[in-house]
Amino acid sequence: MVLDALGVGLLGTSTEVFHKVSGYSKIHSMDFDDTWYPATHPSGPVLPVLMALSEALPPSPKYSGLDLLLAFNVGIEVQGQLLRFSKEAYDIPKRFHPPSVVGTLGSAAAASKFLGLSVTECQEALAIAVSYAGAPMANAATQTKPLHVGSAARHGLEAAFLAMLGLQGNKRVLDLETGFGAFYANYSPKVLPDLDSHTWLLDKQDVAFKRFPAHLATHWVADTAASLRRHLVSDEAPLPIDRIERIMLRIPDVQYVNRPFPSSEHEARHSFQYVACATLLDGAITVPAFHKHQINRPQVRQLLGKVELEHPRDNLPNFNSLYCEMSVALKDGAVFTERSDTFYGHWRKPLSQKDLQEKFRANSCRTLSCHAVERLIETVGNLEDLEDCSVLTTLLKEPSPPKIASKSIYHLTIPSYNLSCGLTTSK
């Protein structure tokens, strides 16, 4: 999770959103970060806080990699426990973007642990963080959505510092319907088990790692469309668009990912229809697939006009149970159907460590030197043995590699990387 979040953040520095808000480092600027269940992006609000603290705090005493890992796990754990107090939180969100809610408290908890706050100060930090929390789903698929995770990280850290300075809030805020319960229906907090018998949620529920930067639900669509394409074309032949009569997508009813004709990069990342058509056309989804000139290709717009949606009653908007079934009807009467119940990268079918490392290389190779990339992979892999966790930020500050006019790994998708310090040949 640490390695993936670092790589996604490095890739995010190339986006328009990052440059528009260049004073802040936005982990979530491409919708590429990890996703948990119940639904949230857990790492993005937590890791930047710990990286900043490890860099900013005095060099003595040193904070070890184990200190960072423990605080990171605390930040993740708080998010997961809060989400499990509400039935609504298990489904794809409709009202509040979860990282802006639980992420803010995860950030405050991680910062409090790392800074060594007392129990009372931790309570105050979480109480303060609740008043910073919350961003509406109406801003999904806009340039504002990437700010949610960055704001959660910043506000959680600020809440911890304010608690250190003695600012007070309602210590029962997490127990009240008018407190944290305002964000989730059916909110019913429970007493947590004693620490001696506590089991970390990450031991019971893994995260999903995305292979391309778009809403998690579209990953089922991409897998299904890639399988269907094999019925329609052979080898490198172009997709016979004129022979296609209709494309039927059977997916959950998630309104903010139902965008028939996306007009921007951020809308395309939140469009079942676009991911289906782009995959049918190109065979895979890559980072450049969401550039505006790709979205507006005539072939894509032609395919989008053929897409219809159905929402089967058994296909619920839940990352643990949803599926995608897709049918392509040809004008000669032939119909081909495929279905995906679990995509590669989901917690039931996790990315291999090799592919996770290749994703990191792809995301970071244009921002960091090849040496720094490989050192980071090695360092993060042995984080618990690191004596001084500020080594991570030192590696992140190494000079970026020179611009090279070549095909880049941005044009590939896991598992087909062929990496050599930023150079590659494309399949």
Side-chain angles (χ1 to χ4, degrees):
M1 291 168 70
V2 171
L3 187 71
D4 190 66
L6 287 174
V8 170
L10 289 166
L11 182 59
T13 63
S14 68
T15 65
E16 186 179 2
V17 172
F18 178 84
H19 291 297
K20 285 185 175 180
V21 195
S22 58
Y24 299 89
S25 202
K26 299 301 178 189
I27 283 289
H28 193 67
S29 58
M30 296 191 78
D31 217 306
F32 208 178
D33 38 0
D34 57 15
T35 305
W36 210 15
Y37 180 74
T40 196
H41 303 295
S43 297
V46 173
L47 186 60
V49 170
L50 300 176
M51 297 294 290
L53 287 172
S54 70
E55 180 181 16
L57 292 174
S60 181
K62 290 181 179 179
Y63 290 85
S64 69
L66 195 59
D67 292 329
L68 188 145
L69 271 178
L70 181 56
F72 179 80
N73 273 274
V74 167
I76 304 299
E77 184 77 9
V78 165
Q79 295 178 71
Q81 293 291 352
L82 289 170
L83 288 167
R84 280 162 174 73
F85 292 155
S86 167
K87 293 180 181 178
E88 177 190 348
Y90 281 84
D91 293 335
I92 295 174
K94 294 181 179 179
R95 299 189 299 139
F96 293 99
H97 190 209
S100 73
V101 181
V102 295
T104 306
L105 278 84
S107 166
S112 298
K113 181 63 179 176
F114 200 73
L115 292 167
L117 269 60
S118 67
V119 171
T120 299
E121 289 172 330
C122 288
Q123 288 179 310
E124 301 293 7
L126 293 175
I128 297 165
V130 172
S131 283
Y132 278 131
M137 287 305 302
N139 271 329
T142 73
Q143 290 186 335
T144 297
K145 184 189 177 188
L147 304 182
H148 295 174
V149 170
S151 295
R154 176 168 64 92
H155 286 142
L157 178 58
E158 187 171 306
F161 280 135
L162 289 171
M164 285 180 69
L165 293 171
L167 192 71
Q168 296 179 344
N170 187 333
K171 294 185 181 66
R172 294 189 60 241
V173 72
L174 298 183
D175 301 324
L176 301 174
E177 186 177 347
T178 54
F180 190 81
F183 295 110
Y184 290 102
N186 305 314
Y187 182 69
S188 180
K190 298 176 177 61
V191 176
L192 296 178
D194 184 85
L195 283 178
D196 292 334
S197 58
H198 182 76
T199 301
W200 294 95
L201 289 176
L202 277 176
D203 284 339
K204 298 185 287 186
Q205 175 63 60
D206 205 351
V207 297
F209 293 108
K210 297 179 179 180
R211 290 175 294 141
F212 57 87
H215 190 275
L216 191 72
T218 65
H219 286 61
W220 279 269
V221 174
D223 267 21
T224 310
S227 297
L228 259 177
R229 191 177 190 275
R230 300 186 190 104
H231 296 289
L232 305 173
V233 299
S234 57
D235 298 326
E236 300 297 319
L239 185 74
I241 298 175
D242 291 335
R243 292 177 54 207
I244 296 175
E245 180 75 31
R246 186 174 69 257
I247 301 169
M248 178 62 70
L249 277 175
R250 300 176 185 89
I251 38 90
D253 185 7
V254 183
Q255 288 302 308
Y256 74 98
V257 197
N258 178 4
R259 299 180 187 273
F261 292 95
S263 60
S264 71
E265 166 194 347
H266 292 275
E267 288 187 359
R269 297 186 197 283
H270 295 76
S271 171
F272 287 125
Q273 296 92 330
Y274 176 74
V275 170
C277 293
T279 307
L280 281 175
L281 194 61
D282 302 325
I285 292 287
T286 60
V287 171
F290 300 98
H291 294 172
K292 198 159 189 176
H293 68 275
Q294 294 288 326
I295 299 167
N296 291 327
R297 286 179 292 171
Q299 308 98 306
V300 171
R301 310 314 279 189
Q302 186 180 352
L303 278 175
L304 286 170
K306 301 174 186 283
V307 178
E308 301 174 14
L309 300 187
E310 286 184 356
H311 305 302
R313 290 186 176 182
D314 67 335
N315 200 354
L316 301 177
N318 183 302
F319 289 142
N320 204 42
S321 61
L322 75 83
Y323 63 87
C324 173
E325 186 174 280
M326 186 173 175
S327 298
V328 173
L330 304 183
K331 292 178 179 178
D332 63 7
V335 178
F336 300 98
T337 301
E338 289 285 351
R339 171 170 165 152
S340 172
D341 293 302
T342 306
F343 65 88
Y344 180 50
H346 191 272
W347 45 83
R348 287 194 300 270
K349 195 176 182 181
L351 289 186
S352 68
Q353 191 66 20
K354 177 176 179 292
D355 284 339
L356 194 63
Q357 291 177 358
E358 294 295 348
K359 178 186 174 182
F360 177 79
R361 291 187 177 100
N363 286 342
S364 58
C365 70
R366 286 194 170 185
T367 306
L368 299 177
S369 69
C370 190
H371 170 264
V373 169
E374 297 306 318
R375 280 286 311 280
L376 275 166
I377 290 173
E378 179 184 359
T379 302
V380 172
N382 298 284
L383 199 54
E384 67 274 17
D385 299 323
L386 194 65
E387 291 184 2
D388 183 358
C389 64
S390 67
V391 169
L392 290 174
T393 55
T394 302
L395 289 170
L396 290 171
K397 289 180 178 180
E398 282 206 8
S400 58
K403 302 281 185 184
I404 301 175
S406 68
K407 289 184 179 180
S408 84
I409 51 177
Y410 288 111
H411 293 270
L412 299 178
T413 187
I414 294 171
S416 54
Y417 292 122
N418 183 6
L419 177 70
S420 177
C421 283
L423 293 174
T424 185
T425 54
S426 178
K427 289 186 179 179

